[in-house]
Each structure stands twice: as C-alpha cells, then as structure tokens.
Amino acid sequence: MIIDWLHHTDFAYPWVLPLLLAIPALVYWYVVRVPRQTPAFTVTTTFFLQHARNWRTRSRHILFALRCIGLGLLIIALARPREKFTEQQTEGDGIDIILCFDISGSMTEQDFTPNRLEAAKQVAREFVANRPGDRIGITIFSSESFTLCPLTTDHNTVLNQIGNIENGYLGVDGTAIGSGLATSVDRLKSSTSKSKVIILLTDGVDFGGVIPPDIAKNMAKLYGIKVYTIGVGSEKEMDVQESSAFGPTTQRKKMEFNESLLKELAMETGGQYFHATDNEALKKIYESINRLEKNKVEVTSYHRYTEQFMPFLLAGLVCLVLELILRLTIFRKFP
C-alpha cells in the first residue's frame, strides 16, 4: 500500500525534503553529546542508587523521539505531498495490433539471453510503450492457442499480461502456428480500424494444429490484416544441458529454425518478414515495425492533484504538542 501511494504521489516543493537530513544529525548529537552534559556528583557509596532507576528514567528518550518524528512529519507537510491523477485524451486514428507469441518448448532455447521467449517479452514491452493511442492485444500458442489479452488501450494491462507469459502456460507442448494466427485474426476481424496488424513471433517450426497455416493466412488476407513475422533463433549449434537417467548431460544440439513459412505468411498478407539472431537484432526489428506502422494519434495528458499534506501536518503537531505536555508534566525536572 505504501509503495502504491509513493507511485502516485509527488511533492510540490521537493527542495524542502533535504531538511530531513537534519534529523539524523540531531540523533547523532543526542546520542553522543547529551550523556557528556549530564550533571554528576560523587558519593561514597552507590548502594542506595541501585533501585533509583524507574520507568521515568527508562522512558526519558520518548521526548526526543516525539520531537524527531514531529519535525520529520512537519518537513514532509511543508514539501506538500499530493496525489497525482493522469488523464489522457487521444485524438486521431490508432492501429489495432495483436502480439502473437509462440510459447512452445523450443522458445526456451538459450541462443538468446536468457532465452528466446524472455528476450521476446522484453522487447515487446518496449514496443508497447512506444505505441500510445493504439489498441493492443495478446495471443499465445503452443499446441493450442489462447487470447491472453483482448484489444485494449490500457497498456498497463497489456504490459502485465506480457509479464505473465511463460512456457507451459497452455499445458501440452507443440507449435501450432496456424492456430495462433487464426486466433489473432479472430481478435481483429471485427475491428473498424483502418490498419490492422499481427506481429507473429515464433521459431517457425510448425507441428500442425487444428487450423493449418495456409487457412489462417487466407483468413488474414480476407479481413485485410497485415502479418509481420519474426523468426527467432538460428541454425547454429550450441551446448545444451539435458536430463537423463544418469544425471545432467551436455549435448551439442542444432537450434531449431524454419523461416520459409514465415516469409510466405508475411509476403502474402502485405507484411514483412524479419529474422532475429540475438537480443539486439530482435530489438531493432521491433523498432523497424514501429516505424513502418505509423499511427496518426495525438495524446494529450492532463494532471490533477489532490493535496495530501494535512495528515502529516496534524500528526507532526500532535507529536510536538504531546512532547511539550509530557515535558511539563510527567517528565518535568525540578531544580
């Protein structure tokens, strides 16, 4: 709750906050200097002082603690904390985009850092952040396909759902590219947007499914949907650890990749095919798609503020008044 409050709060006068550094200085002065200034006298025996310490002497530091807390709260109040509400007004024509992720087992190959799927998720987040005003959705597929997030302008929801993507999400493994593409088309077919785009990210190794890729491709052409395909991976060999009955073993394995299908899907739908061989190449591909699919959207942000200083001001005054009352009554010093 505190973290969430800090996320939505800023200060009208943040230059006041450095005054809080005076409180640690006061604590240092109190701990180091005050005991040296305590009056003392010499007696021949201390027997009668053994029971002299009572709850008052043990609790005397409460006064200083109240003063520090009170000063800290007053300084925060002077900085004027306020809760920020941001509203966005969008004008123009956005683009409807479906991000279609392959989450099959082959997407966990480690020719990317840390693997193909995690690298894809990272650059997808950056892509979403650079598409204000667009409606974006997410579909995922392995042996089956699933709509993880319908088209929405709430990009925070999209980013959260990207974070939820992981291998094994749909249970049975496999790579049904046709099913994933068909589900993406189904999300876009009723869209009234002038531009409808699917970004299909996979290693291109299709193991069939309910809907063949050719049928899904024809569906995309029918509804005027462009498909940008990103082939993730390479055909190089890498050392891969595999489990066996005799324990973990390292084998030289050729990374799975097939780009002919992806080229065909992109070319026949008016999109473009890209080949990503590493993290940096994948990032540049998304930047290229971002430039190719330009939207005509103007986003105006409005900020509203609700003042939050009053609770800090009242709490600070209560602490200082309470310290004064205790100092003049319970902890009063008599000459």
Side-chain angles (χ1 to χ4, degrees):
M1 184 178 293
I2 294 177
I3 295 176
D4 185 62
W5 180 82
L6 290 173
H7 180 71
H8 296 286
T9 303
D10 66 3
F11 295 89
Y13 308 126
W15 49 267
V16 175
L17 293 175
L19 293 176
L20 290 170
L21 296 175
I23 295 177
L26 287 175
V27 172
Y28 174 80
W29 174 82
Y30 184 80
V31 172
V32 175
R33 299 293 300 277
V34 169
R36 298 179 183 178
Q37 298 176 358
T38 303
F41 60 92
T42 304
V43 294
T44 57
T45 178
T46 59
F47 175 78
F48 70 96
L49 294 175
Q50 291 179 358
H51 303 286
R53 292 180 59 86
N54 55 25
W55 66 270
R56 287 189 184 181
T57 57
R58 287 192 294 268
S59 305
R60 69 185 186 280
H61 303 300
I62 291 176
L63 299 176
F64 180 74
L66 286 171
R67 181 180 302 180
C68 290
I69 294 172
L71 288 175
L73 291 171
L74 289 180
I75 291 172
I76 293 175
L78 286 173
R80 276 185 60 193
R82 52 189 185 173
E83 191 170 3
K84 181 172 65 176
F85 301 92
T86 302
E87 295 179 352
Q88 290 186 337
Q89 181 177 332
T90 303
E91 296 179 357
D93 297 324
I95 298 173
D96 284 352
I97 302 173
I98 290 291
L99 303 177
C100 185
F101 287 89
D102 180 354
I103 62 168
S104 61
S106 56
M107 288 293 291
T108 62
E109 301 289 3
Q110 296 180 350
D111 48 349
F112 283 63
T113 304
N115 59 44
R116 295 176 179 179
L117 183 58
E118 290 302 320
K121 288 164 58 177
Q122 178 58 41
V123 293
R125 292 188 187 97
E126 297 175 9
F127 177 81
V128 171
N130 290 322
R131 305 297 303 188
D134 289 339
R135 293 201 305 167
I136 300 177
I138 303 171
T139 60
I140 56 176
F141 67 92
S142 53
S143 62
E144 300 174 346
S145 59
F146 178 73
T147 300
L148 190 62
C149 178
L151 286 168
T152 178
T153 55
D154 184 357
H155 289 183
N156 286 330
T157 297
V158 176
L159 293 173
N160 288 335
Q161 291 298 341
I162 289 175
N164 292 333
I165 297 173
E166 59 183 21
N167 170 249
Y169 191 95
L170 296 177
V172 182
D173 197 18
T175 309
I177 293 177
S179 297
L181 181 57
T183 300
S184 302
V185 171
D186 187 60
R187 293 291 91 191
L188 288 170
K189 68 180 182 181
S190 59
S191 168
T192 58
S193 176
K194 293 181 180 179
S195 185
K196 295 174 282 189
V197 171
I198 295 172
I199 301 176
L200 174 65
L201 189 144
T202 179
D203 55 21
V205 182
D206 182 66
F207 291 106
V210 177
I211 302 176
D214 284 345
I215 293 179
K217 174 190 66 181
N218 291 332
M219 290 171 59
K221 292 168 64 177
L222 176 65
Y223 293 106
I225 299 171
K226 287 190 288 186
V227 180
Y228 287 92
T229 56
I230 302 176
V232 180
S234 62
E235 295 182 346
K236 65 183 180 181
E237 292 186 348
M238 294 183 64
D239 290 329
V240 179
Q241 280 197 346
E242 295 184 348
S243 299
S244 66
F246 303 99
T249 59
T250 301
Q251 296 184 1
R252 196 72 178 169
K253 184 177 179 181
K254 187 175 183 179
M255 298 292 100
E256 296 179 293
F257 185 72
N258 174 19
E259 63 182 9
S260 59
L261 173 62
L262 302 183
K263 286 181 177 180
E264 179 185 346
L265 293 175
M267 181 180 66
E268 296 196 22
T269 58
Q272 193 168 331
Y273 166 74
F274 300 92
H275 182 193
T277 56
D278 54 37
N279 295 57
E280 187 61 30
L282 186 58
K283 181 178 180 180
K284 290 180 179 178
I285 288 168
Y286 268 96
E287 291 174 353
S288 298
I289 297 175
N290 191 37
R291 289 191 296 267
L292 288 169
E293 293 297 330
K294 294 184 178 294
N295 55 14
K296 298 178 180 178
V297 174
E298 182 177 338
V299 180
T300 305
S301 296
Y302 300 93
H303 300 298
R304 294 187 297 107
Y305 296 95
T306 301
E307 296 290 348
Q308 300 287 326
F309 71 90
M310 189 58 71
F312 293 95
L313 178 61
L314 294 177
L317 291 175
V318 167
C319 288
L320 294 180
V321 170
L322 182 60
E323 185 226 350
L324 181 61
I325 293 173
L326 292 175
R327 188 177 296 279
L328 295 177
T329 56
I330 298 176
F331 295 97
R332 182 178 180 181
K333 295 180 180 180
F334 294 94

